[in-house]
Each structure stands twice: as structure tokens, then as C-alpha cells.
Amino acid sequence: MGDAIHESLVAHNCIICGQKKENGIMIISEFICEDCEHEMISTDVMDAKYPFFIHQMRQIFYRKNA
């Protein structure tokens, strides 16, 4: 009883919003928080914020290939 393993949550800086958050996804070596992930997938391509998301996502690949 009570032997469940508890993972300690580690806060990471989100590459999209720059805030330190615990929950989200890692892409290559960069973190995207759950809030930004949700906003990105629900943003229409015609939305003014869409190019910003594309720009931020490109940073992941530019850093990886630098």
C-alpha cells in the first residue's frame, strides 16, 4: 500500500509563451506547455497568431541543426 511511484514534475520554459510550466510536450529538446499546445491546435491558419506559432516552432529545428 502506498508504494506508487510519484514522478516529480519538473518545470520547463515553454518555447512558445516563455513561461515556466510543468505540463506539456517535448519536441526534440524543446518544451511546449499544454496551454500553448491547445491554443496552437485550435488556431485557424487565417488567424493573425498562426505565423507567430510557425515562427516559434521553426526555432526548435533551427537550434537542432545549428
Side-chain angles (χ1 to χ4, degrees):
M1 286 179 104
D3 291 341
I5 298 173
H6 297 280
E7 290 185 28
S8 59
L9 294 175
V10 177
H12 300 278
N13 286 328
C14 176
I15 193 165
I16 305 297
C17 68
Q19 295 182 23
K20 204 167 197 75
K21 305 256 182 116
E22 294 176 344
N23 297 317
I25 60 173
M26 295 295 290
I27 298 180
I28 303 177
S29 62
E30 297 296 336
F31 177 76
I32 298 175
C33 72
E34 283 182 344
D35 295 334
C36 288
E37 177 189 4
H38 178 72
E39 187 176 1
M40 287 170 47
I41 62 172
S42 63
T43 299
D44 186 85
V45 296
M46 299 306 288
D47 190 296
K49 231 177 175 183
Y50 189 80
F52 170 75
F53 291 139
I54 297 298
H55 174 76
Q56 294 304 99
M57 292 293 293
R58 283 187 177 147
Q59 301 309 307
I60 294 171
F61 301 106
Y62 289 144
R63 289 181 190 167
K64 175 68 176 171
N65 295 322

mmCIF file with all atom_site columns, all heavy atoms in Angstrom, residues 9-35:
data_model
loop_
_atom_site.group_PDB
_atom_site.id
_atom_site.type_symbol
_atom_site.label_atom_id
_atom_site.label_alt_id
_atom_site.label_comp_id
_atom_site.label_asym_id
_atom_site.label_entity_id
_atom_site.label_seq_id
_atom_site.pdbx_PDB_ins_code
_atom_site.Cartn_x
_atom_site.Cartn_y
_atom_site.Cartn_z
_atom_site.occupancy
_atom_site.B_iso_or_equiv
_atom_site.pdbx_formal_charge
_atom_site.auth_seq_id
_atom_site.auth_comp_id
_atom_site.auth_asym_id
_atom_site.auth_atom_id
_atom_site.pdbx_PDB_model_num
ATOM 1   N N   . LEU A 1 9  ? 7.365  16.537 -10.863 1.00 0.00 ? 9  LEU A N   1
ATOM 2   C CA  . LEU A 1 9  ? 7.187  17.351 -12.054 1.00 0.00 ? 9  LEU A CA  1
ATOM 3   C C   . LEU A 1 9  ? 8.296  18.391 -12.116 1.00 0.00 ? 9  LEU A C   1
ATOM 4   O O   . LEU A 1 9  ? 8.608  19.039 -11.129 1.00 0.00 ? 9  LEU A O   1
ATOM 5   C CB  . LEU A 1 9  ? 5.819  18.030 -12.036 1.00 0.00 ? 9  LEU A CB  1
ATOM 6   C CG  . LEU A 1 9  ? 4.622  17.083 -12.146 1.00 0.00 ? 9  LEU A CG  1
ATOM 7   C CD1 . LEU A 1 9  ? 3.325  17.872 -11.999 1.00 0.00 ? 9  LEU A CD1 1
ATOM 8   C CD2 . LEU A 1 9  ? 4.638  16.336 -13.458 1.00 0.00 ? 9  LEU A CD2 1
ATOM 9   N N   . VAL A 1 10 ? 8.863  18.524 -13.277 1.00 0.00 ? 10 VAL A N   1
ATOM 10  C CA  . VAL A 1 10 ? 9.937  19.484 -13.494 1.00 0.00 ? 10 VAL A CA  1
ATOM 11  C C   . VAL A 1 10 ? 9.389  20.591 -14.374 1.00 0.00 ? 10 VAL A C   1
ATOM 12  O O   . VAL A 1 10 ? 8.769  20.331 -15.401 1.00 0.00 ? 10 VAL A O   1
ATOM 13  C CB  . VAL A 1 10 ? 11.146 18.807 -14.179 1.00 0.00 ? 10 VAL A CB  1
ATOM 14  C CG1 . VAL A 1 10 ? 12.228 19.827 -14.476 1.00 0.00 ? 10 VAL A CG1 1
ATOM 15  C CG2 . VAL A 1 10 ? 11.670 17.670 -13.331 1.00 0.00 ? 10 VAL A CG2 1
ATOM 16  N N   . ALA A 1 11 ? 9.598  21.807 -13.988 1.00 0.00 ? 11 ALA A N   1
ATOM 17  C CA  . ALA A 1 11 ? 9.136  22.945 -14.774 1.00 0.00 ? 11 ALA A CA  1
ATOM 18  C C   . ALA A 1 11 ? 10.144 23.235 -15.883 1.00 0.00 ? 11 ALA A C   1
ATOM 19  O O   . ALA A 1 11 ? 11.342 23.155 -15.684 1.00 0.00 ? 11 ALA A O   1
ATOM 20  C CB  . ALA A 1 11 ? 8.955  24.159 -13.887 1.00 0.00 ? 11 ALA A CB  1
ATOM 21  N N   . HIS A 1 12 ? 9.613  23.517 -17.062 1.00 0.00 ? 12 HIS A N   1
ATOM 22  C CA  . HIS A 1 12 ? 10.420 23.863 -18.232 1.00 0.00 ? 12 HIS A CA  1
ATOM 23  C C   . HIS A 1 12 ? 9.920  25.192 -18.779 1.00 0.00 ? 12 HIS A C   1
ATOM 24  O O   . HIS A 1 12 ? 8.768  25.551 -18.606 1.00 0.00 ? 12 HIS A O   1
ATOM 25  C CB  . HIS A 1 12 ? 10.267 22.807 -19.334 1.00 0.00 ? 12 HIS A CB  1
ATOM 26  C CG  . HIS A 1 12 ? 10.686 21.441 -18.932 1.00 0.00 ? 12 HIS A CG  1
ATOM 27  N ND1 . HIS A 1 12 ? 11.995 21.029 -18.934 1.00 0.00 ? 12 HIS A ND1 1
ATOM 28  C CD2 . HIS A 1 12 ? 9.966  20.370 -18.519 1.00 0.00 ? 12 HIS A CD2 1
ATOM 29  C CE1 . HIS A 1 12 ? 12.067 19.777 -18.551 1.00 0.00 ? 12 HIS A CE1 1
ATOM 30  N NE2 . HIS A 1 12 ? 10.843 19.347 -18.286 1.00 0.00 ? 12 HIS A NE2 1
ATOM 31  N N   . ASN A 1 13 ? 10.780 25.900 -19.489 1.00 0.00 ? 13 ASN A N   1
ATOM 32  C CA  . ASN A 1 13 ? 10.363 27.122 -20.168 1.00 0.00 ? 13 ASN A CA  1
ATOM 33  C C   . ASN A 1 13 ? 9.754  26.754 -21.513 1.00 0.00 ? 13 ASN A C   1
ATOM 34  O O   . ASN A 1 13 ? 10.387 26.086 -22.330 1.00 0.00 ? 13 ASN A O   1
ATOM 35  C CB  . ASN A 1 13 ? 11.548 28.062 -20.385 1.00 0.00 ? 13 ASN A CB  1
ATOM 36  C CG  . ASN A 1 13 ? 11.977 28.723 -19.104 1.00 0.00 ? 13 ASN A CG  1
ATOM 37  O OD1 . ASN A 1 13 ? 11.177 28.985 -18.221 1.00 0.00 ? 13 ASN A OD1 1
ATOM 38  N ND2 . ASN A 1 13 ? 13.257 28.991 -18.989 1.00 0.00 ? 13 ASN A ND2 1
ATOM 39  N N   . CYS A 1 14 ? 8.526  27.212 -21.721 1.00 0.00 ? 14 CYS A N   1
ATOM 40  C CA  . CYS A 1 14 ? 7.814  26.952 -22.974 1.00 0.00 ? 14 CYS A CA  1
ATOM 41  C C   . CYS A 1 14 ? 8.434  27.783 -24.092 1.00 0.00 ? 14 CYS A C   1
ATOM 42  O O   . CYS A 1 14 ? 8.642  28.981 -23.932 1.00 0.00 ? 14 CYS A O   1
ATOM 43  C CB  . CYS A 1 14 ? 6.336  27.289 -22.804 1.00 0.00 ? 14 CYS A CB  1
ATOM 44  S SG  . CYS A 1 14 ? 5.365  27.121 -24.315 1.00 0.00 ? 14 CYS A SG  1
ATOM 45  N N   . ILE A 1 15 ? 8.707  27.146 -25.227 1.00 0.00 ? 15 ILE A N   1
ATOM 46  C CA  . ILE A 1 15 ? 9.304  27.861 -26.363 1.00 0.00 ? 15 ILE A CA  1
ATOM 47  C C   . ILE A 1 15 ? 8.299  28.812 -27.025 1.00 0.00 ? 15 ILE A C   1
ATOM 48  O O   . ILE A 1 15 ? 8.686  29.728 -27.739 1.00 0.00 ? 15 ILE A O   1
ATOM 49  C CB  . ILE A 1 15 ? 9.899  26.882 -27.388 1.00 0.00 ? 15 ILE A CB  1
ATOM 50  C CG1 . ILE A 1 15 ? 10.774 27.634 -28.372 1.00 0.00 ? 15 ILE A CG1 1
ATOM 51  C CG2 . ILE A 1 15 ? 8.802  26.085 -28.081 1.00 0.00 ? 15 ILE A CG2 1
ATOM 52  C CD1 . ILE A 1 15 ? 11.683 26.783 -29.187 1.00 0.00 ? 15 ILE A CD1 1
ATOM 53  N N   . ILE A 1 16 ? 7.026  28.622 -26.759 1.00 0.00 ? 16 ILE A N   1
ATOM 54  C CA  . ILE A 1 16 ? 6.003  29.476 -27.363 1.00 0.00 ? 16 ILE A CA  1
ATOM 55  C C   . ILE A 1 16 ? 5.737  30.705 -26.501 1.00 0.00 ? 16 ILE A C   1
ATOM 56  O O   . ILE A 1 16 ? 5.884  31.830 -26.949 1.00 0.00 ? 16 ILE A O   1
ATOM 57  C CB  . ILE A 1 16 ? 4.683  28.703 -27.593 1.00 0.00 ? 16 ILE A CB  1
ATOM 58  C CG1 . ILE A 1 16 ? 4.924  27.428 -28.429 1.00 0.00 ? 16 ILE A CG1 1
ATOM 59  C CG2 . ILE A 1 16 ? 3.637  29.606 -28.239 1.00 0.00 ? 16 ILE A CG2 1
ATOM 60  C CD1 . ILE A 1 16 ? 5.445  27.657 -29.825 1.00 0.00 ? 16 ILE A CD1 1
ATOM 61  N N   . CYS A 1 17 ? 5.360  30.503 -25.236 1.00 0.00 ? 17 CYS A N   1
ATOM 62  C CA  . CYS A 1 17 ? 4.986  31.641 -24.378 1.00 0.00 ? 17 CYS A CA  1
ATOM 63  C C   . CYS A 1 17 ? 6.108  32.107 -23.460 1.00 0.00 ? 17 CYS A C   1
ATOM 64  O O   . CYS A 1 17 ? 6.030  33.186 -22.885 1.00 0.00 ? 17 CYS A O   1
ATOM 65  C CB  . CYS A 1 17 ? 3.756  31.289 -23.539 1.00 0.00 ? 17 CYS A CB  1
ATOM 66  S SG  . CYS A 1 17 ? 4.030  30.007 -22.283 1.00 0.00 ? 17 CYS A SG  1
ATOM 67  N N   . GLY A 1 18 ? 7.142  31.289 -23.290 1.00 0.00 ? 18 GLY A N   1
ATOM 68  C CA  . GLY A 1 18 ? 8.274  31.664 -22.456 1.00 0.00 ? 18 GLY A CA  1
ATOM 69  C C   . GLY A 1 18 ? 8.059  31.473 -20.960 1.00 0.00 ? 18 GLY A C   1
ATOM 70  O O   . GLY A 1 18 ? 8.959  31.723 -20.176 1.00 0.00 ? 18 GLY A O   1
ATOM 71  N N   . GLN A 1 19 ? 6.873  30.996 -20.577 1.00 0.00 ? 19 GLN A N   1
ATOM 72  C CA  . GLN A 1 19 ? 6.585  30.795 -19.162 1.00 0.00 ? 19 GLN A CA  1
ATOM 73  C C   . GLN A 1 19 ? 7.108  29.443 -18.686 1.00 0.00 ? 19 GLN A C   1
ATOM 74  O O   . GLN A 1 19 ? 7.237  28.514 -19.465 1.00 0.00 ? 19 GLN A O   1
ATOM 75  C CB  . GLN A 1 19 ? 5.084  30.871 -18.909 1.00 0.00 ? 19 GLN A CB  1
ATOM 76  C CG  . GLN A 1 19 ? 4.507  32.239 -19.174 1.00 0.00 ? 19 GLN A CG  1
ATOM 77  C CD  . GLN A 1 19 ? 3.020  32.287 -18.868 1.00 0.00 ? 19 GLN A CD  1
ATOM 78  O OE1 . GLN A 1 19 ? 2.512  31.484 -18.099 1.00 0.00 ? 19 GLN A OE1 1
ATOM 79  N NE2 . GLN A 1 19 ? 2.333  33.234 -19.489 1.00 0.00 ? 19 GLN A NE2 1
ATOM 80  N N   . LYS A 1 20 ? 7.386  29.366 -17.416 1.00 0.00 ? 20 LYS A N   1
ATOM 81  C CA  . LYS A 1 20 ? 7.851  28.128 -16.801 1.00 0.00 ? 20 LYS A CA  1
ATOM 82  C C   . LYS A 1 20 ? 6.620  27.313 -16.400 1.00 0.00 ? 20 LYS A C   1
ATOM 83  O O   . LYS A 1 20 ? 5.800  27.789 -15.612 1.00 0.00 ? 20 LYS A O   1
ATOM 84  C CB  . LYS A 1 20 ? 8.708  28.448 -15.580 1.00 0.00 ? 20 LYS A CB  1
ATOM 85  C CG  . LYS A 1 20 ? 9.670  27.379 -15.213 1.00 0.00 ? 20 LYS A CG  1
ATOM 86  C CD  . LYS A 1 20 ? 10.665 27.944 -14.202 1.00 0.00 ? 20 LYS A CD  1
ATOM 87  C CE  . LYS A 1 20 ? 11.880 27.102 -14.085 1.00 0.00 ? 20 LYS A CE  1
ATOM 88  N NZ  . LYS A 1 20 ? 12.836 27.156 -15.133 1.00 0.00 ? 20 LYS A NZ  1
ATOM 89  N N   . LYS A 1 21 ? 6.484  26.122 -16.964 1.00 0.00 ? 21 LYS A N   1
ATOM 90  C CA  . LYS A 1 21 ? 5.329  25.266 -16.699 1.00 0.00 ? 21 LYS A CA  1
ATOM 91  C C   . LYS A 1 21 ? 5.794  23.832 -16.498 1.00 0.00 ? 21 LYS A C   1
ATOM 92  O O   . LYS A 1 21 ? 6.883  23.446 -16.918 1.00 0.00 ? 21 LYS A O   1
ATOM 93  C CB  . LYS A 1 21 ? 4.349  25.305 -17.879 1.00 0.00 ? 21 LYS A CB  1
ATOM 94  C CG  . LYS A 1 21 ? 3.882  26.688 -18.282 1.00 0.00 ? 21 LYS A CG  1
ATOM 95  C CD  . LYS A 1 21 ? 2.489  26.960 -17.811 1.00 0.00 ? 21 LYS A CD  1
ATOM 96  C CE  . LYS A 1 21 ? 2.003  28.317 -18.261 1.00 0.00 ? 21 LYS A CE  1
ATOM 97  N NZ  . LYS A 1 21 ? 0.892  28.270 -19.163 1.00 0.00 ? 21 LYS A NZ  1
ATOM 98  N N   . GLU A 1 22 ? 4.940  23.038 -15.871 1.00 0.00 ? 22 GLU A N   1
ATOM 99  C CA  . GLU A 1 22 ? 5.274  21.647 -15.588 1.00 0.00 ? 22 GLU A CA  1
ATOM 100 C C   . GLU A 1 22 ? 4.691  20.673 -16.604 1.00 0.00 ? 22 GLU A C   1
ATOM 101 O O   . GLU A 1 22 ? 5.298  19.655 -16.901 1.00 0.00 ? 22 GLU A O   1
ATOM 102 C CB  . GLU A 1 22 ? 4.779  21.265 -14.189 1.00 0.00 ? 22 GLU A CB  1
ATOM 103 C CG  . GLU A 1 22 ? 5.492  22.007 -13.090 1.00 0.00 ? 22 GLU A CG  1
ATOM 104 C CD  . GLU A 1 22 ? 4.928  21.695 -11.718 1.00 0.00 ? 22 GLU A CD  1
ATOM 105 O OE1 . GLU A 1 22 ? 3.816  21.146 -11.617 1.00 0.00 ? 22 GLU A OE1 1
ATOM 106 O OE2 . GLU A 1 22 ? 5.625  22.002 -10.734 1.00 0.00 ? 22 GLU A OE2 1
ATOM 107 N N   . ASN A 1 23 ? 3.506  20.966 -17.137 1.00 0.00 ? 23 ASN A N   1
ATOM 108 C CA  . ASN A 1 23 ? 2.833  20.031 -18.031 1.00 0.00 ? 23 ASN A CA  1
ATOM 109 C C   . ASN A 1 23 ? 2.902  20.495 -19.468 1.00 0.00 ? 23 ASN A C   1
ATOM 110 O O   . ASN A 1 23 ? 2.616  21.646 -19.771 1.00 0.00 ? 23 ASN A O   1
ATOM 111 C CB  . ASN A 1 23 ? 1.368  19.866 -17.615 1.00 0.00 ? 23 ASN A CB  1
ATOM 112 C CG  . ASN A 1 23 ? 1.240  19.271 -16.238 1.00 0.00 ? 23 ASN A CG  1
ATOM 113 O OD1 . ASN A 1 23 ? 1.945  18.337 -15.894 1.00 0.00 ? 23 ASN A OD1 1
ATOM 114 N ND2 . ASN A 1 23 ? 0.346  19.820 -15.440 1.00 0.00 ? 23 ASN A ND2 1
ATOM 115 N N   . GLY A 1 24 ? 3.259  19.566 -20.342 1.00 0.00 ? 24 GLY A N   1
ATOM 116 C CA  . GLY A 1 24 ? 3.345  19.882 -21.750 1.00 0.00 ? 24 GLY A CA  1
ATOM 117 C C   . GLY A 1 24 ? 4.046  18.768 -22.493 1.00 0.00 ? 24 GLY A C   1
ATOM 118 O O   . GLY A 1 24 ? 4.122  17.637 -22.016 1.00 0.00 ? 24 GLY A O   1
ATOM 119 N N   . ILE A 1 25 ? 4.549  19.085 -23.673 1.00 0.00 ? 25 ILE A N   1
ATOM 120 C CA  . ILE A 1 25 ? 5.224  18.096 -24.508 1.00 0.00 ? 25 ILE A CA  1
ATOM 121 C C   . ILE A 1 25 ? 6.629  18.569 -24.851 1.00 0.00 ? 25 ILE A C   1
ATOM 122 O O   . ILE A 1 25 ? 6.903  19.766 -24.891 1.00 0.00 ? 25 ILE A O   1
ATOM 123 C CB  . ILE A 1 25 ? 4.440  17.806 -25.813 1.00 0.00 ? 25 ILE A CB  1
ATOM 124 C CG1 . ILE A 1 25 ? 4.267  19.081 -26.654 1.00 0.00 ? 25 ILE A CG1 1
ATOM 125 C CG2 . ILE A 1 25 ? 3.089  17.181 -25.497 1.00 0.00 ? 25 ILE A CG2 1
ATOM 126 C CD1 . ILE A 1 25 ? 3.666  18.841 -28.022 1.00 0.00 ? 25 ILE A CD1 1
ATOM 127 N N   . MET A 1 26 ? 7.498  17.601 -25.085 1.00 0.00 ? 26 MET A N   1
ATOM 128 C CA  . MET A 1 26 ? 8.855  17.894 -25.553 1.00 0.00 ? 26 MET A CA  1
ATOM 129 C C   . MET A 1 26 ? 8.923  17.545 -27.025 1.00 0.00 ? 26 MET A C   1
ATOM 130 O O   . MET A 1 26 ? 8.491  16.461 -27.427 1.00 0.00 ? 26 MET A O   1
ATOM 131 C CB  . MET A 1 26 ? 9.886  17.068 -24.791 1.00 0.00 ? 26 MET A CB  1
ATOM 132 C CG  . MET A 1 26 ? 9.993  17.396 -23.303 1.00 0.00 ? 26 MET A CG  1
ATOM 133 S SD  . MET A 1 26 ? 10.591 19.052 -22.928 1.00 0.00 ? 26 MET A SD  1
ATOM 134 C CE  . MET A 1 26 ? 12.295 18.938 -23.411 1.00 0.00 ? 26 MET A CE  1
ATOM 135 N N   . ILE A 1 27 ? 9.449  18.457 -27.821 1.00 0.00 ? 27 ILE A N   1
ATOM 136 C CA  . ILE A 1 27 ? 9.705  18.199 -29.239 1.00 0.00 ? 27 ILE A CA  1
ATOM 137 C C   . ILE A 1 27 ? 11.195 18.411 -29.422 1.00 0.00 ? 27 ILE A C   1
ATOM 138 O O   . ILE A 1 27 ? 11.700 19.508 -29.210 1.00 0.00 ? 27 ILE A O   1
ATOM 139 C CB  . ILE A 1 27 ? 8.898  19.124 -30.161 1.00 0.00 ? 27 ILE A CB  1
ATOM 140 C CG1 . ILE A 1 27 ? 7.408  18.883 -29.942 1.00 0.00 ? 27 ILE A CG1 1
ATOM 141 C CG2 . ILE A 1 27 ? 9.293  18.904 -31.612 1.00 0.00 ? 27 ILE A CG2 1
ATOM 142 C CD1 . ILE A 1 27 ? 6.502  19.734 -30.780 1.00 0.00 ? 27 ILE A CD1 1
ATOM 143 N N   . ILE A 1 28 ? 11.863 17.341 -29.792 1.00 0.00 ? 28 ILE A N   1
ATOM 144 C CA  . ILE A 1 28 ? 13.317 17.272 -29.835 1.00 0.00 ? 28 ILE A CA  1
ATOM 145 C C   . ILE A 1 28 ? 13.808 17.600 -28.427 1.00 0.00 ? 28 ILE A C   1
ATOM 146 O O   . ILE A 1 28 ? 13.676 16.791 -27.541 1.00 0.00 ? 28 ILE A O   1
ATOM 147 C CB  . ILE A 1 28 ? 13.928 18.128 -30.953 1.00 0.00 ? 28 ILE A CB  1
ATOM 148 C CG1 . ILE A 1 28 ? 13.336 17.688 -32.314 1.00 0.00 ? 28 ILE A CG1 1
ATOM 149 C CG2 . ILE A 1 28 ? 15.427 18.046 -30.955 1.00 0.00 ? 28 ILE A CG2 1
ATOM 150 C CD1 . ILE A 1 28 ? 13.787 18.489 -33.495 1.00 0.00 ? 28 ILE A CD1 1
ATOM 151 N N   . SER A 1 29 ? 14.324 18.783 -28.204 1.00 0.00 ? 29 SER A N   1
ATOM 152 C CA  . SER A 1 29 ? 14.776 19.125 -26.844 1.00 0.00 ? 29 SER A CA  1
ATOM 153 C C   . SER A 1 29 ? 14.076 20.372 -26.319 1.00 0.00 ? 29 SER A C   1
ATOM 154 O O   . SER A 1 29 ? 14.509 20.947 -25.337 1.00 0.00 ? 29 SER A O   1
ATOM 155 C CB  . SER A 1 29 ? 16.292 19.329 -26.842 1.00 0.00 ? 29 SER A CB  1
ATOM 156 O OG  . SER A 1 29 ? 16.618 20.402 -27.697 1.00 0.00 ? 29 SER A OG  1
ATOM 157 N N   . GLU A 1 30 ? 13.001 20.772 -26.967 1.00 0.00 ? 30 GLU A N   1
ATOM 158 C CA  . GLU A 1 30 ? 12.275 21.977 -26.559 1.00 0.00 ? 30 GLU A CA  1
ATOM 159 C C   . GLU A 1 30 ? 10.902 21.621 -26.008 1.00 0.00 ? 30 GLU A C   1
ATOM 160 O O   . GLU A 1 30 ? 10.281 20.645 -26.413 1.00 0.00 ? 30 GLU A O   1
ATOM 161 C CB  . GLU A 1 30 ? 12.119 22.937 -27.741 1.00 0.00 ? 30 GLU A CB  1
ATOM 162 C CG  . GLU A 1 30 ? 13.436 23.451 -28.290 1.00 0.00 ? 30 GLU A CG  1
ATOM 163 C CD  . GLU A 1 30 ? 14.218 24.301 -27.305 1.00 0.00 ? 30 GLU A CD  1
ATOM 164 O OE1 . GLU A 1 30 ? 13.627 24.887 -26.379 1.00 0.00 ? 30 GLU A OE1 1
ATOM 165 O OE2 . GLU A 1 30 ? 15.444 24.389 -27.474 1.00 0.00 ? 30 GLU A OE2 1
ATOM 166 N N   . PHE A 1 31 ? 10.415 22.430 -25.088 1.00 0.00 ? 31 PHE A N   1
ATOM 167 C CA  . PHE A 1 31 ? 9.171  22.199 -24.374 1.00 0.00 ? 31 PHE A CA  1
ATOM 168 C C   . PHE A 1 31 ? 8.077  23.129 -24.869 1.00 0.00 ? 31 PHE A C   1
ATOM 169 O O   . PHE A 1 31 ? 8.310  24.309 -25.107 1.00 0.00 ? 31 PHE A O   1
ATOM 170 C CB  . PHE A 1 31 ? 9.421  22.444 -22.880 1.00 0.00 ? 31 PHE A CB  1
ATOM 171 C CG  . PHE A 1 31 ? 8.213  22.315 -22.014 1.00 0.00 ? 31 PHE A CG  1
ATOM 172 C CD1 . PHE A 1 31 ? 7.711  21.072 -21.684 1.00 0.00 ? 31 PHE A CD1 1
ATOM 173 C CD2 . PHE A 1 31 ? 7.596  23.443 -21.507 1.00 0.00 ? 31 PHE A CD2 1
ATOM 174 C CE1 . PHE A 1 31 ? 6.589  20.952 -20.864 1.00 0.00 ? 31 PHE A CE1 1
ATOM 175 C CE2 . PHE A 1 31 ? 6.489  23.339 -20.685 1.00 0.00 ? 31 PHE A CE2 1
ATOM 176 C CZ  . PHE A 1 31 ? 5.987  22.089 -20.361 1.00 0.00 ? 31 PHE A CZ  1
ATOM 177 N N   . ILE A 1 32 ? 6.866  22.588 -25.021 1.00 0.00 ? 32 ILE A N   1
ATOM 178 C CA  . ILE A 1 32 ? 5.668  23.376 -25.322 1.00 0.00 ? 32 ILE A CA  1
ATOM 179 C C   . ILE A 1 32 ? 4.647  23.045 -24.243 1.00 0.00 ? 32 ILE A C   1
ATOM 180 O O   . ILE A 1 32 ? 4.287  21.877 -24.063 1.00 0.00 ? 32 ILE A O   1
ATOM 181 C CB  . ILE A 1 32 ? 5.097  23.056 -26.714 1.00 0.00 ? 32 ILE A CB  1
ATOM 182 C CG1 . ILE A 1 32 ? 6.127  23.399 -27.790 1.00 0.00 ? 32 ILE A CG1 1
ATOM 183 C CG2 . ILE A 1 32 ? 3.797  23.830 -26.951 1.00 0.00 ? 32 ILE A CG2 1
ATOM 184 C CD1 . ILE A 1 32 ? 5.722  23.005 -29.186 1.00 0.00 ? 32 ILE A CD1 1
ATOM 185 N N   . CYS A 1 33 ? 4.186  24.053 -23.519 1.00 0.00 ? 33 CYS A N   1
ATOM 186 C CA  . CYS A 1 33 ? 3.235  23.821 -22.427 1.00 0.00 ? 33 CYS A CA  1
ATOM 187 C C   . CYS A 1 33 ? 1.875  23.403 -22.983 1.00 0.00 ? 33 CYS A C   1
ATOM 188 O O   . CYS A 1 33 ? 1.556  23.642 -24.149 1.00 0.00 ? 33 CYS A O   1
ATOM 189 C CB  . CYS A 1 33 ? 3.117  25.060 -21.538 1.00 0.00 ? 33 CYS A CB  1
ATOM 190 S SG  . CYS A 1 33 ? 2.237  26.461 -22.268 1.00 0.00 ? 33 CYS A SG  1
ATOM 191 N N   . GLU A 1 34 ? 1.073  22.789 -22.118 1.00 0.00 ? 34 GLU A N   1
ATOM 192 C CA  . GLU A 1 34 ? -0.255 22.320 -22.523 1.00 0.00 ? 34 GLU A CA  1
ATOM 193 C C   . GLU A 1 34 ? -1.129 23.454 -23.027 1.00 0.00 ? 34 GLU A C   1
ATOM 194 O O   . GLU A 1 34 ? -1.889 23.273 -23.984 1.00 0.00 ? 34 GLU A O   1
ATOM 195 C CB  . GLU A 1 34 ? -0.959 21.636 -21.348 1.00 0.00 ? 34 GLU A CB  1
ATOM 196 C CG  . GLU A 1 34 ? -0.470 20.255 -21.066 1.00 0.00 ? 34 GLU A CG  1
ATOM 197 C CD  . GLU A 1 34 ? -1.234 19.595 -19.931 1.00 0.00 ? 34 GLU A CD  1
ATOM 198 O OE1 . GLU A 1 34 ? -1.938 20.290 -19.161 1.00 0.00 ? 34 GLU A OE1 1
ATOM 199 O OE2 . GLU A 1 34 ? -1.115 18.364 -19.813 1.00 0.00 ? 34 GLU A OE2 1
ATOM 200 N N   . ASP A 1 35 ? -1.042 24.620 -22.393 1.00 0.00 ? 35 ASP A N   1
ATOM 201 C CA  . ASP A 1 35 ? -1.873 25.751 -22.809 1.00 0.00 ? 35 ASP A CA  1
ATOM 202 C C   . ASP A 1 35 ? -1.550 26.173 -24.240 1.00 0.00 ? 35 ASP A C   1
ATOM 203 O O   . ASP A 1 35 ? -2.451 26.373 -25.056 1.00 0.00 ? 35 ASP A O   1
ATOM 204 C CB  . ASP A 1 35 ? -1.683 26.937 -21.865 1.00 0.00 ? 35 ASP A CB  1
ATOM 205 C CG  . ASP A 1 35 ? -2.171 26.643 -20.451 1.00 0.00 ? 35 ASP A CG  1
ATOM 206 O OD1 . ASP A 1 35 ? -3.064 25.785 -20.288 1.00 0.00 ? 35 ASP A OD1 1
ATOM 207 O OD2 . ASP A 1 35 ? -1.646 27.277 -19.513 1.00 0.00 ? 35 ASP A OD2 1
#
